Each structure stands twice: as structure tokens, then as C-alpha cells.
Amino acid sequence: MTTTEQAKAPILHFPYQSIQFIADSNQCQHLTDDSIKYLTLEVTGIVRFLLQDALKFTRKCRRTKMITDDFESAMKMRYLEPIVGFRLSNGNLPFKTTTAAGLGHREVQCIDDHELQLDQVITAPMPKIPLDVSIRTHWLAIEGKQPTINENPEIISKADLTTDSLDPMKSLTKKRYNLDASKIKTSNPHELSLEQQIYYKEITEACVGSEEQKRQEAIGSLSTETGLHQILPRIVLFISEGVKVNLMQYNLAILIYLMRMTSALLENKSLYCEKYLHQLFPAIMSCILAKQLCVRPDADNHWALRDYASSRCAQMVKMFSASIHGLRNRIVRIFLRTFHSERLPLVTHYGALVGLCEMGQETIEELVFPIIRTLGDRIVKSVENPSLSQMDKTTIDRINGVISKYIPPAYRTSRSTPDDIEHFKQEFGNFYGPRLYTQVTQQRQQPRSTTQPTQVSESTIY
Amino acid sequence: MDKSKESIERLCHQFLPDIVDLLRFLRTYNMKETETCFRRECHSLVNTLNKTSVTNEDQSISNSINVNDYFVVYSYLSNFIFNSPYQIELMQFLFPLFVHLYLDLLEHNYINECQQFYKQFVHSTFYSFHSEFFNQLKLISQSSKHLYQCVLTNAFRTSRFFLRLSMTSCKELQNFIDYTKNLTKINSQFYLTPSQISLLLSIFQQYIKVDINQQVFTSSNIVRYQTNEQPMTPIFVHTNLANKIQFTRLYTGLFPLQSLPGDSNRSSAQYSQLNRGDLSSSYPQINYNRLPNTNDLNNIPRLGPHQLPSICLFTLKNSKQIINCINLSNDCRLLAIGFQSSEILICSLNPNNKLYSMKSTKELRHLLNKSTRNYNLDTTSFIETSNERVLIGHTSAIFTLAFEPTKQTYLLSGSQDCTIRLWHLTIWSCLIVYKMHFQPILDIAFAPIGHIFASCSIDGLICLWTIDKINPFRIYPEYGYSGPINLVVFHPNSNYLASAHNDHTIHLWNIQNENALVRIFNGHRHQISSLCFSPNGHFLVSGCWNGEIILWDIQNNLQIAHLFLHKQAISSIEFSPLTGTLLLISSIDSTISLWNCFMITKIYDEKLTDSMNKNLSSHKILLNVFKTKNIPIFHIKFSKENILYAIGLTNE
């Protein structure tokens, strides 16, 4: 509302009819029109002044909302008898609005005055005892800085976040507000020494080159070298760009090499990859979920790449989920979303399934168990499809393999012995239920094996 | 004339039975003096009635013709002012003119015309400067009877507007008026009839007083944060008071003046004598208020722009009763909460520190017997059970609480029942009830030296008390009730007292002399909600209900800075102790802001404001804003360890 509108907005004024009505209900039927007009004017004036006075109390007590007590105080101040009975515990006025019959269907406010049954009052459960004032303490600021604790709100507002993401330059100026915009340093290219440049060239060439011997050495160097901090961003960039390009050209071999480089970087204890996850994760995820990874998908072993990448993915989640809040959830959500979108090919579903299964016992129990049933249905549907390709057949076999590899051990540890086939059918559907039942019962008879399902067949990669 | 006489007679007849009754009553109780007095007054009353009715009638006859004049005059002047190069100063004229033309119309019962006048001339920019006044003016637009009931309009009618102008703009206006006087009907459409000109001039003469402060019109160098240059709002002061303001030099030193200046030739000699006796004998030793012991001093970080304070927020949760006011003791050990239900709750903020209580008589006697020579009797002991205690005594809602600053053993409470009570915090009972005000008490403040306190109330009075007397030793102001007084605050040297009035001004009183109004600070456009003096005594900071903050130079009566950041009422203001380089402001919009006061004054002194507006951020006036999770902050205070204690309130 603009100020002009505010200035001209109507103010409190009692309608003539209501005063007439009130006068009538108080045994003053024979008032002339003039006297009622006068009364209206007077009453309006008095109530306006009372409200002004009540506002003084409201403001004195620094309330943002006027309460009935304030009005009561204002009445006392003018030596009027306060009206009682208009106070509710929740602070609302006990009025309700109805439309009156006659008088042109105007809205009328009246007091909701329902009768109480004495029995009900007596037998009703005791209301909660009103709590007394309690005091909580926390640090709002420590030496001028707000600590990030639960009691304090998030320091960065949502608006700031959006502007930050839209215009990073702006946030930069905001953070260094003591500097002029012109004084902000333009990003300085960080120059590598000649030796580092040579090392970078050699390593990247060796990793994607044709000589297996050299590659082994390069990967070993990546996983053990301690002074790689300066070229780490470049290597990460190399990996992510490499994955992008080779994914389009279905260059399976190179993709596998790049994943091995990633693995080496993760193994290196002296490197700290947290800053580069935004580049590494997309690369890995595309290796897991891509529709096609090689030129001849029915013949080439792209399954190995998917398995390997998903185990790396699980490893990274385990490594960084402690320091990055919500990392696991985000990754798991991506897999689940991929799994639930029906129009994607079965290969991608395979990738998502493996990715989820690699995440460990908990994820399998919580997320993989519920989706097996739909997976079974989907497989039954595609098997019935007459135009089932050779590719899909192998995929189904692979999926079966994954399920029999991960699910029975997980089931065995999570549920207790009495296994019931009906129960299996109910939980995992008609397709996988019986299968899993037989596998689980078999495994239960065997002694507990030490082999963990997370051990992926890495031999296929090398 | 005959008519008017008749009407008076009728009036007298109307009141005659009452008067006769009263006289009879006085005679039966043998109150002769009162009777004669009353008779005399009665006569004079009849006389004045006679006169006023005559003048009223004259006016109504003369005014009935020219309602249109009001519209012409106002639009004429506003036209001139909005086209003038000195618009920003001359704007001040418009508000008094508007008010008095409007009230004139209303007074003569031209209700419709007056509403029309309001609608036609209420200007959007103009409205935002005085929105609260306009609201009140709108409220009374229905009947001329309300005019006299409304406090504000009464104040308008009995007071004069003070305008501060520069010489140039004043001359501009004068030339303009001369010019219009000499205009003839033929050569311009801006022609005013003689009656219109006289109307304009009569309002100028009757209600406006111009104070010329500079030769040339220059824009001010006020430090601004998110505000624009705006015309000043005129002050209105009661005509009697207007001639009495003493703009003398202030003593802004840190220590109280020990000797009171003798004022012998005053009518109320016994008062001043009493005062002198009271004050000089009962002033305690200079207490370096809040100054910790010397050995502590080394460990405490001095706060400044490079050493920012820590803030500890105490949140009061789920109170079933309605909390009206909160105060912290000077050592931040005790918290006092005043409830709508007339109770006062004292609690110890540190749960390990129990409350003290006086030992029982038996124990005390035992102690006395045991150690007759030892004067340092430990008469207090812990209350074992709880660390909170309720004080009951008032009969209505508590509106204000104040701790005694030096020892924290006394607490004052002001209530809606118009009384002030003094509580002792080791005996836990009420010692004295101070009765003087006849309307609810709004604020109480202790002088930093202790012993003296001031109270203000809705009845428009400020009373000064010493805690050992049940009568106030001074009452301000003498003239002109212009509505409630919202706040009182003492200057750090206890010689001056600032009070926030309902007309959005701050008055500064010298308490050494009787009734000496020394400054009026004018510039707020909303009700003032918080006041604070800087520790060095040179500055005053005031925050108002819409969140605007003004920093004043009290010596020269100038505005130094306008800071506009908070969206709602300012609840409390604190300077960093000793140095005063940091300014902390809390608001009920649940934020605390931290300002670099040193930088503000520096920018002002060096007149850097022009260059600053371009890159305000580079000067770092605003150091930080601390947000809470929707907890409105009600009170802040620095503890001895330079930690800011903040009290918030939440109702989940």
C-alpha cells in the first residue's frame, strides 16, 4: 500500500444500523434519527481515542499485536469500567462471524456462547499445566562472528545463495566489501613449474597410452606421490573432460583407464579430493549409468567398467560423507530416480542397481529390497516381449547375477532364520521371491563366509 | 449582541443549581476561604464566557463567508514551496499551515469541507513524514467536539511551531509574501484577496516561530545509512515554555557536579533549600560506575572495531503470563521480569549463583553476640532451594523495572496502578511506595550515581525523586501537556535528564536547576522507543518505532547520523563500555546490529558524507548484523566482562 492510499484509507467508523440495533437491544427503542446519528459519532470518537490509548500500552510493552489487556488498560485510564470475558487463552477474540437474517444479509459478529455440560467438564482429562518461564542460553556471536550452531539461523539467506550462483562476481564483491570493485584481484593463473608440466604430460600420456607397463607405473606414481597438490586440479579436469569426450565416442578402454586414474587419486593419502568432487562424481556416474559405453555393447565387457565405477563411487561416498552433509542422500537419490524412470534401457537400470548395492548393507536393506519386486515385474514384462534383443538378454542375466550376489547375504544378516516362501513372494514378487528363497536357505546352511560382496572382480579391469 | 447575552444567561441557568449545591456544601463544612475563592472564580467565569462567546460569534460571522479561502491559501503556498529551490527547508511551513487550516475548519464545524481539505492536500511524501499525526487528525475529522478531547490537537492549539531556517530561504519567503501583497488583480492569476493574505499571516504570526541558524542554505552533512535527505519536522512547544528554553552550554564531563548552584531568589525557596541539602549531603562517593577493579581491568579486552564483542542470548520461553518488561542488573547477575499480572520475577541468570537472602533474626542475634567488634557482618545467606523469586505488591500490570546501579540491592518497579515501589533484594519485600503520578507509570530510570531516580508517566509529568523521600523533589514540565512521556534516561554525569515525548521529540532537562529545559531534539517521525547516552556524554542515540536511529550531538543540538536498518521498533541501545566506539542496537525484528560509532563521528567531523554516499560500504559503518531464529530481542546490556547480554522472548 502506498502512503497516499494509506493516508486516504477509511478509518474505523461504526455503521449507523449497528448503533440503532444496539440501542434497541438495550431497551432504548424510541430514539430519534438525529440522536442515533449523534450517538454513532460519539461512540466512534470514544472508541478511536481508546484505541489510541491502548496503542500506547502495546508499544510500551513492545508488542507487535494489541491484546485485550491493553484495551482494558486504556479503559481504566479513562475511568471506564473494563469489559470482562473477552479473553481466551490463545489470545484470539472469541467472535464468530455469521450473516444476519433481515437487514440485507449483512455480516454480524457475535460471541460463540455454547453451553457446557457439567459432566463433561468434570470427566474431561486435566488440561496441561501451564508452563512457567524457562530460560535458554546460547552464543549469538563470539567476537563479532556468529557461530554456526543449531540455535542460530543459517547465516546465508536463500536470496544470497541464488545471487551467488547466478553471479559469483557479485558475492565476491560482497565478501570483500572494504575494497572497491576495481581493486578486486583478477584471478591469477597459477603457474606450474617446468618439471610439473613435464610430469603432467608424461602421466596423462602414459595413463591413456597403449603400453600396459608404463600405465602400471603411472598409476602407481599417482597413488603414492606426495607432491601432487598443484597439478591435482589439472588431473581432475583431465579425467572429467576425458570421460565426456570418450563417452560420446564409445571408447571403453580409455574410460576404464580414466577410472583407474580416479581410483589412484583416491588412494593417494596426501591428496585431498574434496574440492573436486563436483567434477569427479559426474564422470563416475556417467560411467555407471550411460546407455552405451562401447561400440559393440553385446560383445564388449562394459559390465566390468560399470561395476568398477560403482565400487569407486561407493568408496568416495564413504570417504566424504562425513565432511559433506547430505552427500550420500544425493547420490542415492540420483540412482533411485534413474531406476524409477521407465523409459531408460535396462542397461542403465543395471548400473543404478549395482551402484545402490555397492553402497553397503544399510542401503540394500532400506532401498534395494523394496525395488526388487518392481524390477522383477519389469523383467517378466520384457521377457514376454517377442522382440527381445540379445543385448537385453545378457542384461537380464547380469541383473540376476547381481541380485543373487548381493541380496542373499544382506538378507541373511538382516532377517532371522524362519524363512517362508510365501513371505519371500510377498516381499520380492513372484519372479525373484522363490529364487531368493532357495539361495537364502542354501546360504543359511553354509557356514558364514568371510567374502564380502563389495569385492568386485577387479581382475577384469586389469 | 443581545442574542449572545441571552445565551450566557441560559448557560448560567443551566449550571446554577450545581453552583448553589456546591456553595451550600462548602458552607456546611465551614470552608470559608474556598467559598470566597469559588465565588470569585464563578464571576470571572461568567465574564470570560461572555467574552469568548462574543469573539466566537464574530469569528463565525467573518469566517462563514470564506471557506474557499482556506483551499486557495494552502494550494497557493504549497505551489510556491514545491517550486522553490529551497524546498527542503521551506517544506517545514506546510505542516503547521495544514494543521491549523484544518483545525480552523473543524472548529467552525465545516465537517465536509475539512474532510475535503484533508483529501485534497494530503500529499504522499508529506504524509510519510508525519504519518502518526495525520492519523490522529483523521480520527477527529467527524466532529468538532472531538477536537477538544484530542490531546494532540490541544497541544497544537496551545503551542508554537519552531522552524529552523537559513537566512536565504527565509528571505525568499518574505519576498514572496511581499510580492503577493503588491499584486493587483489584473496582472496575475495568483491573486489573493486581502482576507486571504491576512488569514495566512495570522497563522504565521500566531503559531510559527522562525529560528534563523545560518546565513546560507547548505545541505547537511549528516551520515546516512539507507536513508535520504528529508526536510526537518517542525517542533511545537507550548507558548509559555517556548520563551523559557535556555540554550546554554552543557557540561558534558564524566563526573557529576558536586556542588549545586545556589538559586536563592526563587519563589519556592523551601524546595530549593531542601534540594540542596538533600543532594549535596546524600551524594555518595563518586562511583566509577561499571569500572571493574584495577586488577581485573588488565584481563578484559577493550572493545573496538578490531575487537568485536561476544553476545550471549538468553531466551525466555513459553511464558503463560504476558511479559511486559525486562531488565538486567548492572552486573548482569539478576534478571527482573515484569508481568501483566502485576507480579515481578527476579531470577539469577547463572544457575550456580543462588539468590541471597537476609539471615533469620535468631542467626543475626547470634552473630552480633559473637563478634561485637567486627563491623563486616555477613548478614546474607543463600536461598538454598531455587534461583528465582516472585515479588508481589502491585495491583496492576508492571510497565517498567529499574535496578539500583551501584549495589544491585534495590529494585524499582512502576506499574499501571500509578505507584512506584522500591524493593529490597535481600529482604525480598517492598520498602517504600512512591505516589505522585495519577496515570500509569511508563518508565523509571536511576541516575548513574544511584540514589536519585526519575519517573515518567502517561499524565505527562516527569518526577525526580531521591529514594529516601516519599515526595518528588522536582516535577517537570510546568506547562503544556502534550501527551504521555515514554522514556527517561540520565546523562552519564547525572546532571541532565533526557525524556522522550509523544510528539516525537526528546527534551533534555538540567536537573541541577529547577525547570531548566536546555535542549529539544527534533527529527523523529515515529514514537521513540529507546534512548541511550554515549559513555563520554557527548552523544545521544535514539531509536524509534519504525526502526530509524538518530545519533545526536547534544552540545550543538545537531543530528550526526541517520541509520535505517531495522524494520521494527528498536528495543534497546548500548555503547561499548569505556570507549564507546561500538554501538549495538537491538530490535524486535529479532536482529542485533553492530555499528562503528567511531567511524560515524569521524565521517561527520571530516564532512566526508558526499564522498561516502558513493561508496558507503568502503567506510564500514555497519560492522555486522546478528540474526536470531525469530526471537525478538527486548533488552541488551554489557556485563563487566564486556560480554553483551541479550534477552529475547519467544512463545512457541
Side-chain angles (χ1 to χ4, degrees), chain B residues 174-319:
Chain B
Q174 217 153 32
N175 288 341
F176 173 72
I177 289 170
D178 289 344
Y179 169 70
T180 42
K181 269 187 195 166
N182 299 330
L183 274 183
T184 49
K185 205 170 195 173
I186 309 133
N187 59 6
S188 174
Q189 75 266 38
F190 302 121
Y191 172 72
L192 289 185
T193 61
S195 71
Q196 286 165 344
I197 290 178
S198 70
L199 173 72
L200 182 67
L201 290 182
S202 74
I203 285 180
F204 273 26
Q205 274 164 9
Q206 209 175 342
Y207 298 116
I208 295 178
K209 189 173 179 182
V210 176
D211 178 18
I212 294 166
N213 63 338
Q214 287 170 308
Q215 280 298 311
V216 200
F217 168 70
T218 48
S219 59
S220 61
N221 58 332
I222 295 173
V223 182
R224 289 173 188 283
Y225 187 86
Q226 297 183 357
T227 57
N228 300 317
E229 174 101 38
Q230 283 172 344
M232 287 280 285
T233 47
I235 333 171
F236 48 95
V237 184
H238 194 273
T239 30
N240 284 335
L241 197 64
N243 305 323
K244 281 206 157 192
I245 305 176
Q246 302 167 1
F247 291 101
T248 47
R249 200 169 163 73
L250 301 180
Y251 165 74
T252 53
L254 272 183
F255 304 112
L257 289 173
Q258 289 283 328
S259 58
L260 277 167
D263 38 357
S264 50
N265 50 358
R266 294 199 69 99
S267 55
S268 53
Q270 81 273 23
Y271 244 148
S272 57
Q273 212 164 21
L274 217 158
N275 293 341
R276 200 190 306 163
D278 268 351
L279 287 176
S280 52
S281 66
S282 53
Y283 264 135
Q285 287 285 308
I286 293 170
N287 183 301
Y288 291 79
N289 179 28
R290 291 218 201 156
L291 250 146
N293 299 329
T294 40
N295 50 349
D296 292 347
L297 203 63
N298 300 326
N299 305 329
I300 293 169
R302 291 282 180 92
L303 295 180
H306 305 293
Q307 176 71 51
L308 299 178
S310 303
I311 304 175
C312 188
L313 177 63
F314 293 83
T315 314
L316 304 184
K317 255 187 80 183
N318 56 37
S319 158

Side-chain angles (χ1 to χ4, degrees), chain A residues 193-257:
Chain A
S193 67
L194 195 63
E195 292 82 6
Q196 281 171 323
Q197 285 181 36
I198 294 168
Y199 177 81
Y200 172 74
K201 186 165 163 271
E202 288 291 322
I203 284 279
T204 47
E205 274 178 5
C207 280
V208 296
S210 52
E211 283 180 58
E212 184 60 33
Q213 177 70 29
K214 257 193 169 178
R215 185 166 22 252
Q216 294 267 355
E217 280 170 18
I219 298 273
S221 161
L222 273 183
S223 57
T224 51
E225 203 73 46
T226 49
L228 291 180
H229 305 279
Q230 302 223 319
I231 60 166
L232 178 65
R234 271 102 178 157
I235 295 178
V236 168
L237 193 68
F238 176 79
I239 292 171
S240 77
E241 289 297 312
V243 167
K244 265 184 215 164
V245 171
N246 291 298
L247 206 58
M248 294 312 291
Q249 297 172 347
Y250 309 130
N251 210 336
L252 182 64
I254 304 263
L255 286 176
I256 291 176
Y257 301 149

Side-chain angles (χ1 to χ4, degrees), chain A residues 14-24 36 40 103-104 106:
Chain A
F14 287 110
Y16 172 79
Q17 287 93 342
S18 356
I19 300 297
Q20 196 174 25
F21 179 74
I22 291 166
D24 282 353
I36 288 179
T40 317
L103 285 172
R106 286 184 311 106

